[in-house]
Amino acid sequence: DMVITDDNFATIFAAVEEGRIVFDNIRKVVFFLLPTGVAAILSIIGTIALGLPMPYTPSQLLWINLVTNGLQVLALTFEPGEPGVVLRPPRDPQEGVMSRVLVQRTVLVGVLIAAGVVWSFHHALAIGEPLEEARTLAVTTMVFFQFFQTWNSRSETLSVFRIGLLSNPLLLFAIGASVLAQFAFIYVPVLQWVFRTEPLTVEEWVRVSLLSLTVVLVVEIDKWLRRRREHA
């Protein structure tokens, strides 16, 4: 229910616009969090199914969920409104926060991230790396997937390459701070002792970066295909 205390059309227009931006940003946060949560669960199930050790320790999983996730979630709540936000037709009032598109994309991204983490962990063990280094690689792969998933979450329909890089400075700060935190997680001796991490090689960093970048490619293809179907 709503009580209108100001019948000025300009005020109503601004209120509708702000309401749509807030609702969009809630969806963006949910789309960022759910796939990464699904991926964490699936990656654990996947390693168990393959007869491998757990890919993360409890403290490392806590690091993923609290330290590296928190800043991006906060930044996404400050995303500016997308172009034409007030020109869209009203959404179905029965539709919840998760639309059918977001549900399908959540499954797609969750499975992709989980597969990438399990492959990275399995490959490290297969070539003879110690368990602690393999776990460090798995955690870093998950965290970098999350960095790129943040960009995917900025719009349900628009390509990430059409969204202004500086339109949300807080997001750049959040990702930069999270990257520094992840480097500290791996290379600061005290954190190495707490989280049982090992330094990664340059080759491993390149592999992690290229692997996690695939999440942007897959979501961009999904967005393009959906836009093409809509205009067909």
Side-chain angles (χ1 to χ4, degrees):
D1 296 331
M2 180 173 62
V3 177
I4 299 177
T5 59
D6 180 356
D7 61 358
N8 187 310
F9 184 77
T11 304
I12 297 173
F13 182 88
V16 170
E17 181 180 30
E18 187 64 26
R20 290 189 172 190
I21 293 173
V22 169
F23 187 80
D24 280 355
N25 287 354
I26 292 173
R27 277 188 163 175
K28 292 170 186 178
V29 169
V30 171
F31 179 55
F32 170 70
L33 288 174
L34 276 185
T36 53
V38 168
I41 296 171
L42 290 180
S43 60
I44 292 172
I45 295 174
T47 53
I48 293 174
L50 292 172
L52 301 174
M54 294 286 285
Y56 334 98
T57 65
S59 61
Q60 290 171 347
L61 194 57
L62 187 65
W63 172 270
I64 292 170
N65 288 327
L66 295 183
V67 178
T68 56
N69 268 0
L71 292 175
Q72 285 100 302
V73 167
L74 179 63
L76 283 173
T77 62
F78 289 93
E79 272 291 304
E82 296 179 23
V85 66
V86 292
L87 301 179
R88 297 190 307 223
R91 66 179 178 85
D92 185 349
Q94 302 301 319
E95 184 180 81
V97 173
M98 289 294 289
S99 65
R100 186 176 65 176
V101 172
L102 288 185
V103 170
Q104 294 170 349
R105 202 170 284 163
T106 293
V107 174
L108 175 66
V109 171
V111 170
L112 174 66
I113 294 176
V117 171
V118 171
W119 179 85
S120 186
F121 184 63
H122 179 268
H123 179 265
L125 292 176
I127 62 176
E129 292 185 358
L131 178 58
E132 289 188 347
E133 185 170 346
R135 282 178 169 160
T136 304
L137 196 58
V139 173
T140 305
T141 302
M142 173 68 81
V143 168
F144 269 64
F145 264 120
Q146 290 177 345
F147 292 157
F148 289 111
Q149 172 61 8
T150 307
W151 295 104
N152 287 335
S153 304
R154 297 189 70 189
S155 176
E156 185 177 329
T157 56
L158 291 178
S159 167
V160 67
F161 302 107
R162 295 184 58 190
I163 303 174
L165 187 63
L166 301 178
S167 60
N168 186 355
L170 187 59
L171 186 60
L172 294 177
F173 169 79
I175 292 178
S178 295
V179 169
L180 291 177
Q182 186 63 21
F183 272 96
F185 170 81
I186 296 172
Y187 294 108
V188 173
V190 173
L191 295 179
Q192 285 180 332
W193 178 78
V194 170
F195 292 103
R196 300 293 186 265
T197 58
E198 294 289 336
L200 301 181
T201 65
V202 174
E203 180 185 349
E204 287 171 331
W205 278 112
V206 172
R207 191 164 69 240
V208 165
S209 300
L210 293 177
L211 181 62
S212 54
L213 186 60
T214 58
V215 76
V216 174
L217 177 62
V218 168
V219 174
E220 284 295 304
I221 292 173
D222 181 59
K223 288 179 180 179
W224 178 77
L225 290 174
R226 292 180 186 277
R227 288 195 302 268
R228 188 174 180 183
R229 281 200 298 268
E230 288 178 359
H231 294 96

